Each structure stands twice: as structure tokens, then as C-alpha cells.
Amino acid sequence: MNAVKELTNANLNAGFVCAANDRMADSQYSEALTNFAAGVRDESAQKLLDFIAPAIRSGRRFEFRKQKDAVLWTDDSDLRAVGADFKRLSVEGEIENSSTLNRGLVVRIDNDERYDGIEEEKTQALIQRLIRSECKRAVALLKAAAGSATAKSWLTGTSKTDPDSDLVDLASSLTIGVDANRMVFGRSAWNARFKAYRASETPYAGAAARDGAAQIADMIGVEAIYRSSERYATKASKNNEIFTSNYVIAFVGCDKPVEGVDTSVVKRFWTPCEGGEMFRVYREERAKYIDITVEHYSRLLTTVADGAKAITVS
């Protein structure tokens, strides 16, 4: 991913991507490009983002309940005495205040480099970059929520290894009192499991090596496993993995979270732009160039403490 520069006339050349600033105005809003943006996604990064950090629509300022300790309580004092009320319970979890952040990027198109469709191409590129950036932030939050990863040796050492036993243990008994229902693999961790069973002389190992994500999920008792291979580029490297390659993380998540009810570890709060869109596009035309700006409002937050565990694989 190229460096994001400050938007100034001095440093902005054609094709540079810059952080959006307050130069946008309603008169520069582009309905055509905003409508185009509604159908643009980075499909791979979006899937990982939704798997880790399900989206919740919210206002710019919102409250959320941060769960900690156990999440599944019982109570033996639920019997109502004659003439009395039922026992009143306080809602578990600490209320915190937050707000979505205005994020965006700008690209400048010089008139000498224009061709049919370039504005749509640049809009698509900006949205995809914004999604990848959100995905990187979601992965960082999930790793932080999982804490220190336990090292596992599936391919090294002289002792026989059983990766699936490690996966069963990883998904079991989170300290909040529930088992993990989701698991995400980095590329090298997934490959290490395959290679370990291919090399094993245990009778069932050959069949285990051929198991896909659905079969492994069913065996270890989680609802879904995601095998991550999403990448991004920087000036220093063009082959960076969004999800750390040797990591496996088990965590609690759901597809359609309800704030204060579900126990998703990471949530992505987002606020519609004016007009109701997730992404809004502005087009500022000057004599010799056009600036295309894409903005959105979002905030990634860890809402459940101790709801994830991680291992690293070698």
C-alpha cells in the first residue's frame, strides 16, 4: 500500500492518495459516483472484516455495553414469594460512550491523464483501500483481545504432533464461560496442519489432511472457520498478509450483532453518511485536475473481554 500523503497543492501529483480533509462541500458531492460506490467492495477483505468484526449501524455518538467476566449467569433465587416482586437483577456489563470516526482518502486526476471510466476506477480503488485498512484494524483488535499466543510445534521437533487436539483445546473454555464459536487461520498455520498430517504415520492422518474448513469446524465444535489469505502492499513490501500467517485465533462472534445482547468480541460501528450511504463520494473539479474524495464513518471496538484465545504454529 502506497504512503498516504497530506492533501496540499505542493505535494499532490496525479495518482497520489491523500488523507481526506475539510475542503469537501455539499456542492462537490457526486451522486453518480456515490451510487457507483454502493456496489464496490474488496470481496476478500470484506469477508474477513465481517467475520471478525460484524457491523452495527449507529449514530455518530453512541453507547455500548462492554462485557467482562462471565456472560452466562444462572440464579437460584428466582422464586417469587406471595405478595412480593421477583428478584430484580442489574444488567451485567459496563456502559461506555464512543463515537464513529470520519475516515477518507483523496486521489487527484490530472486532465492530461484522463480517460473514460477513470473516475469510477479511482473511486473503486479508494473504497477497496479503505476496506483493507478497516480489516487490518479489526485483526489488530482481535489479536489484542486474544492476548499472548501459546506456541505450538506442528512441524518442528521429534515428537508426534496432533494439531486438531490443539484446536479443540483452543476453542474450549474461554474465561468468560463460553466456548469459542469462530476460528480464523493464517495461511502458514493452515498449511502446517495439512503438512503435519500428511507426514504423520498415524492411520487416520491421511484422511485428516484432506479435511476442509467445514469438516474441521464440525469436529472441534465451532460454527465456522475462516482461512485467511488476504494481502496488502506497502512501499517496503508487496506481499503482506492482513492476518498474521502463523496465527490461529478462536473467538466469539456472530453475523448480525445486537448491541448489549450478543457477545461478539469485536464490533464495527458505522454511521451512514448524509443521504444514508456507507461511502460518500465528492468530486472537486478545477481547471487542470479533478480531486475524488471518498469518506465514511466507523469505529472498531473490543466489546467483550477475554472472548478470544490464540496459538502460534511452527
Side-chain angles (χ1 to χ4, degrees):
M1 184 180 294
N2 294 332
V4 177
K5 302 173 181 292
E6 181 184 359
L7 179 57
T8 66
N9 289 328
N11 73 1
L12 184 53
N13 297 321
F16 278 5
V17 175
C18 300
N21 59 25
D22 59 3
R23 296 170 63 179
M24 293 179 297
D26 289 342
S27 61
Q28 298 156 12
Y29 166 66
S30 173
E31 182 177 3
L33 290 177
T34 298
N35 290 337
F36 171 78
V40 175
R41 291 294 181 271
D42 184 320
E43 294 295 339
S44 183
Q46 186 74 51
K47 287 180 181 178
L48 177 58
L49 176 60
D50 292 340
F51 189 79
I52 292 175
I56 295 180
R57 181 167 171 163
S58 73
R60 286 297 315 277
R61 298 186 182 277
F62 60 91
E63 291 182 344
F64 70 98
R65 188 174 299 279
K66 194 162 188 176
Q67 299 282 355
K68 57 183 179 180
D69 302 321
V71 296
L72 299 177
W73 298 91
T74 63
D75 202 300
D76 294 329
S77 56
D78 55 357
L79 177 64
R80 187 185 72 87
V82 175
D85 294 328
F86 290 114
K87 177 183 177 181
R88 184 181 300 276
L89 297 178
S90 59
V91 178
E92 300 295 331
E94 180 180 342
I95 294 291
E96 295 192 11
N97 296 306
S98 189
S99 61
T100 53
L101 304 174
N102 190 201
R103 299 184 181 276
L105 294 170
V106 186
V107 66
R108 177 162 293 175
I109 304 171
D110 191 281
N111 288 347
D112 290 344
E113 299 181 346
R114 294 190 63 184
Y115 52 83
D116 289 344
I118 189 173
E119 294 184 24
E120 289 78 7
E121 288 181 8
K122 295 299 184 182
T123 298
Q124 177 171 323
L126 291 179
I127 291 173
Q128 290 175 337
R129 184 175 294 203
L130 290 168
I131 291 173
R132 285 194 295 271
S133 297
E134 285 281 90
C135 194
K136 286 178 60 183
R137 286 187 284 267
V139 169
L141 280 179
L142 182 63
K143 287 178 65 177
S148 299
T150 302
K152 298 293 182 180
S153 298
W154 291 353
L155 296 176
T156 60
T158 57
S159 60
K160 298 291 183 182
T161 62
D162 184 3
D164 289 348
S165 292
D166 291 333
L167 298 178
V168 169
D169 293 340
L170 179 65
S172 302
S173 301
L174 298 173
T175 56
I176 56 173
V178 298
D179 292 343
N181 68 330
R182 293 189 172 191
M183 188 173 287
V184 57
F185 274 76
R187 176 183 287 272
S188 67
W190 181 271
N191 292 344
R193 179 193 177 277
F194 171 78
K195 292 176 182 178
Y197 281 125
R198 279 289 298 269
S200 174
E201 297 178 359
T202 305
Y204 72 89
R210 294 191 294 270
D211 285 343
Q215 289 77 23
I216 300 172
D218 182 66
M219 177 192 62
I220 66 177
V222 297
E223 294 175 3
I225 287 177
Y226 189 96
R227 183 173 54 179
S228 176
S229 59
E230 294 76 19
R231 299 179 184 273
Y232 67 96
T234 66
K235 282 190 174 182
S237 172
K238 295 179 175 59
N239 194 28
N240 302 284
E241 292 171 316
I242 292 179
F243 188 85
T244 308
S245 187
N246 67 331
Y247 258 70
V248 184
I249 300 180
F251 63 101
V252 179
C254 69
D255 287 331
K256 296 181 179 179
V258 178
E259 174 51 27
V261 177
D262 72 277
T263 55
S264 298
V265 176
V266 180
K267 294 186 178 75
R268 177 166 49 97
F269 297 88
W270 70 278
T271 303
C273 298
E274 184 179 353
E277 314 92 351
M278 180 173 286
F279 293 98
R280 191 170 176 87
V281 186
Y282 298 84
R283 180 182 184 275
E284 183 180 3
E285 187 167 357
R286 297 294 181 88
K288 302 298 290 184
Y289 61 83
I290 293 174
D291 284 342
I292 302 294
T293 301
V294 177
E295 70 165 343
H296 69 116
Y297 294 88
S298 71
R299 186 69 174 260
L300 287 153
L301 291 168
T302 303
T303 56
V304 178
D306 302 320
K309 292 195 300 185
I311 60 174
T312 55
V313 176
S314 61

